[in-house]
Amino acid sequence: MGIFEKYLSVWVFLAIVIGQLLGLVFPQHFQQIAVLEYQNINLVIAILIWAMILPMMLQIDFTSIKSLSKKPQGLFLTLSLNWLIKPFTMFFIATFFMSYIFSSYISEEVAQSYIAGMILLGVAPCTAMVFVWSHLMKGDANYTLVQVSVNDLIMLFAFAPIAGFLLQVSDIVVPYETLFTSIFLFIVMPLIASILIRQYFIKNLGQIIQKLKPLSVISLLLTILILFGLQSDNIVNNFFHMVLIAIPLILQTYLIFYLGYFISKKIKLTKNIAGPACLIGTSNFFELAVAVAITLFGINSPAALATIVGVLVEVPVMLHLVNIINKKYKPTLK
């Protein structure tokens, strides 16, 4: 593991601090980045996410995907966590804390908006970042790709009705073009690029992968820096509320992870399958959640702020969960 991966939590913290400071000192530059959008997806962030996952996809031997039907338990676990459990536990935990525990500190209107943002996080399963988490815990790259692809396909049809039901807004407008564009940018494009690179540069593939590995972590850090730079004013003006939002998000993350971890042990999944299955079910497609929250409620809305807190919470917590899997889950489990 290289220096970037070994001290990733340190680099993430520095990226957050630097992004926050730069956003306060040079807000006009971040606004110039913010307007570079298509279908409510920021193109700069899209490129960085693309660069994040390409090195991971290059390591995938696509000819082995056909054998995944022999071990479907991990896929079933991921789908169950993402679509039958996670959105609903997020709704109940967010409502319990925002409407009851923290009711003395947050108005009812703001609390409902925070709940909406957290629900959008809960209904958007991880797409891009899970390749990073899977790589860090030596997960099966082929299996991770299939899990993400199936989740994205289901998300096209399940995101709107589940979000609409939980938000209790029958006429909620979900930007399907944003969903389709996100999947094309974050999955299809790097997938095609990796196939072409493997086909035409097969002799030097090992060297190419080795050289591109740092690109994933650097892109992650730049993504975090830009997101926090864009929301620097919101973060400063609502810091106490951010702490309150983080509490139920952290509890939800650990709840889903340990539920997946427990089930993985019970059904005796190997580490390279159980790890990605638990992490996909735990983490969020925060880029999509941020885009939808901004589209539905506005860039300065409490709902958008809640999704930004999701970014802040997810990275350090997911690094801790990766560490738990690497230390406690036996690779040879049969």
Side-chain angles (χ1 to χ4, degrees), residues 1-56:
M1 186 177 292
I3 187 171
F4 281 112
E5 296 167 334
K6 186 176 181 181
Y7 299 103
L8 185 56
S9 57
V10 176
W11 310 135
V12 167
F13 176 77
L14 290 176
I16 291 173
V17 172
I18 293 172
Q20 179 68 34
L21 292 176
L22 290 178
L24 294 173
V25 178
F26 304 107
Q28 67 277 11
H29 296 301
F30 284 93
Q31 289 306 312
Q32 291 173 355
I33 295 175
V35 299
L36 299 174
E37 291 186 345
Y38 176 74
Q39 300 296 343
N40 297 309
I41 295 176
N42 187 275
L43 298 181
V44 175
I45 297 297
I47 291 172
L48 290 173
I49 294 173
W50 194 87
M52 230 186 278
I53 65 176
L54 178 60
M56 310 303 170

